[in-house]
Amino acid sequence: MENRLKRLEAVQEAVLEISRISMSSDNIADFLQAVHQTISRIMYAANFYVAIYDDEQQSLRFVYCVDELDVFPPSTKNFSLASPEQSPTAWVILHRQPLLMTAEEHEARERDNGAWGHGARAHYWMGHPLLDQQRGVLGAMVTQIYDKNHLYTQEDQQLFGLIAGHVSTALQSLMSLDRLERAVKQRTAMLEHQVEERRKAETLQRALYQIAELSMLSSANDWQFSRLHDILGELMEIPNFVLALFHEDAQEFSIAYAVDEFDDIAIGSRFPLGVGMTSYVVRKKQAQLVTKETIAELVEQGEVQVLGNSTSYSWIGAPLFANDRLFGVIIIQSYQPTLIYTQADLELIAFVANHVAVALERMKSSEDLLKAKQELEQKNDALNKVLETLKTTQDELISREKLASLGALVAGIAHEVNTPLGICVTATSHAVEELKTINKAFKEGLLKKDHLTKFFDTLDQALRITTTNIHRGAELVKSFKQVAVDQSSENMREFDLRFYLEEVLFSLKPKLKGKKFQVVLECPSDIRMKTYPGAISQIVTNLIMNSLLHGFDGADSGTIQIEVTWDKENTDNLMMTYSDDGKGMSSAQLEKLFEPFYTTKRSQGGSGLGAHIIYNLVTGSLAGQVNVSSQEGHGLQYRMCFPRDLEASSVSSV
C-alpha cells in the first residue's frame, strides 16, 4: 500500500510538473524534453517521441525524438502521413485511439498485411493520440521498449493516457505559438528576400545608369573600358575581361582593354577575324554562353580554334553590332569550376554590348561627320554657309510649315489679282493710244468733233473698266491683308469672329475655284473675340487644306461645314466644329493624326505637320482643347473648345 501511495504521489507530482512546465515554456521541443524527463520518473521511457500532425497538408513532423537504436529525421522536416495499414503512428492518429503492441503482435500483423512501420522492432510499443478540445488530432505520443526485462502494465497505459491528455492541452497553446513563430520567420525571410532583391535591383539600375552615362561619351578616346569593367564587376564576378575593336578595312580586331588571370594580353595587339571563339560569336551575330564542354565540342566539330588559354570553364562572348555593322566584341571567361556564368549573366553582357555598340557607332558617325565637315571647309567656304542654312532650316521646320499655308494664299491671291490688273493695263494702254491719236490730230489741225466725241466715249469706257477692276483687286488685297498679317505675327487683338472667318474663307477662294466644293459657315454675328486671330486663321487654313489634300483626295466636289456655338458647360468658351464629308480615316490613322510628320500623302507633298500645328495652336496659343472623330467613308470632324477672351481667361485662372 505504501508503494502504491508513493507511485500515486509521483504521478500527481508529474502531472503538476507538466502543468507547471506548460505555463512557463514557449518552445515545443523544450516542453516535450521536460515531459520526457517527468515521464521517465514514473515509468520506463528510454525511447520516446512525439509526432505533430498537420490536417491541412496531411503531413507529419517528429518534433521530439529520443531513441536507443533508431535515428529520427530533423524536427523541421515534414512527411506525408502514411495509411493506418502502413504505420502504427498513423494508425493511432487516424483512429484517435491508443495502441499497445508487443513484438509478437507486430510480427503477426506483418505476416498478414506486410511491413508496418519503420525502424527497429520494439519489444513493447505504446502510442496515444494527442487530441484537442474538439477531438481534433494534434498528433501522437509514443514510447517503446527494446529490452525484454521491462514491460508496460495496464496502469502504465492509463498513466500514459493521462499524461497525453495534459500534453495535448499544453500543446494546443504551444502549437499556436509555434505556428505564429514560424509564420513570423517565414514573413521575415520573405521580407529579407524582398529587401535583397530590391537591393540587387537598385544595384543593377545604378550600374545600368552608369553604363548608359558612359556610353554617352562622344569620342572613343574618352572611353574608360576599365570603368566599364568595374561597373560590371558590381553585378557579377568578372576576373577576366577583354574588349576588342574591329577594323573593317583590315578585317582585324585590336585589343582596347584586357584583364586576364593567365594570358598576358598586350593593349593594341591585333588578331584577324578567323576561326577563333571571337570570330564564332561574330558569325552568330549574337551573344553566346558556352561551357568547357561546349568549347571542346565546337573544337572537335571544327567550328572554332582556341586561341590563347583553353582551360575556360565558362565563356561569354558578345559582338558589338549596331545597324548590322560590327564594331568589336566583349569577352568574359572563367578559369575556375566554382564560377559558372548563367543565362542572366549572358543577358546582362548582351545588354551592355548593345549600349557600347550604339556608343561606338555614334562616335564613328561623329568622327566621319567631323572629317567630312573638315573636307568641305577646305573645298569651299560657301558650302559651310549652305550647311549652316540647312541646320537652321532643320531647326525651323515646324515654324516654316506654319507659314506654308500663307504662301499658298499668296499664290492664289496673286493669280486672282493678276486678272483685274491685266484688264486695267489693257484699258489704260488703249486709252493712252487713243490719247496719242487725238493729240496728233489736234496738233496737225485735223481734229474734228466726231473724233473728240469718239475719244471721250473710249476714255469713259476705259476709266469705268479700270475703276471696276481696281476696286475688285483692292477688295481681294484687303481681305488677304489682315489674314496675312495675322498669320505672320503673334499679336493678340479684339475682332469680330464671323467677319474674320469670312475674310479667311474669302482668301481661300482661289484654292476652291474651278471645283464644286461648298463651304458652309454657321457662326453668330455678335461674337467679339480677344485672342490670337493668326492662330484661328492658321487653324482654318490648315483644316481646309487637309480636307482638300487628304479628305477629298482629288475629288472635285464635297461639303465643308464650320459651326461656332457657345460651350454649354462654360459660357465663356466657344465650341468650333469643323467637318467634311470626305473619305475619313481609319482608327489606326486617327491615333497618329496629331503626331508630328505623320502623313498619308508623303509622296504627294504632305509634310505631316498640318494636324500637329492645329493641335499646338488650339492647346497652346488659344489655351483650348481639341479632339477628332472619324470613320472610313464617313468624313472627319474636329471639335475645338477655347476661351472667347483669352486675356480674361488667363487672369481668372491665376
Side-chain angles (χ1 to χ4, degrees), residues 36 39-41 43-48 66 143-145 152 160:
H36 182 203
I39 292 176
S40 298
R41 292 199 294 268
M43 59 186 294
Y44 183 83
N47 306 282
F48 177 82
V66 174
T143 183
Q144 50 189 336
I145 300 173
Y152 290 130
F160 196 68

Side-chain angles (χ1 to χ4, degrees), residues 7 30 111-113 158 176 202 213 220 229 234 246 259 262 286 296 302 344 391 421 471 483 540 554 600 612:
R7 183 173 174 83
D30 294 343
R111 284 196 301 269
D112 296 337
N113 301 309
Q158 293 175 352
S176 298
E202 290 175 350
E213 188 178 47
H229 187 191
E234 296 177 6
F246 182 66
V259 173
F262 293 98
Q286 63 181 9
K391 183 179 179 181
L421 287 180
H471 280 297
V483 174
V540 174
T600 59
H612 179 65

Side-chain angles (χ1 to χ4, degrees), residues 262-274:
F262 293 98
D263 290 336
D264 184 13
I265 304 175
I267 304 299
S269 60
R270 295 198 173 202
F271 60 93
L273 177 64

Side-chain angles (χ1 to χ4, degrees), residues 371-430:
K371 183 178 179 180
K373 183 179 179 181
Q374 291 173 346
E375 291 176 353
L376 289 174
E377 287 176 350
Q378 293 173 358
K379 290 179 180 180
N380 199 322
D381 292 338
L383 292 179
N384 290 331
K385 295 180 180 180
V386 173
L387 290 174
E388 293 176 2
T389 303
L390 290 175
K391 183 179 179 181
T392 303
T393 302
Q394 182 180 8
D395 294 338
E396 297 177 354
L397 180 60
I398 293 180
S399 297
R400 291 194 175 190
E401 178 63 21
K402 291 182 179 180
L403 298 176
S405 58
L406 183 59
L409 291 180
V410 170
I413 292 297
H415 178 75
E416 288 296 305
V417 172
N418 186 58
T419 299
L421 287 180
I423 294 174
C424 289
V425 170
T426 302
T428 304
S429 299
H430 182 64

Side-chain angles (χ1 to χ4, degrees), residues 101-114 116 121:
M101 178 177 60
T102 65
E104 292 77 11
E105 291 172 338
H106 194 165
E107 290 176 0
R109 172 95 182 196
E110 289 187 337
R111 284 196 301 269
D112 296 337
N113 301 309
W116 201 38
R121 181 172 297 163

Side-chain angles (χ1 to χ4, degrees), residues 313 352 461 561:
Y313 281 91
V352 172
Q461 262 188 346
Q561 185 168 358

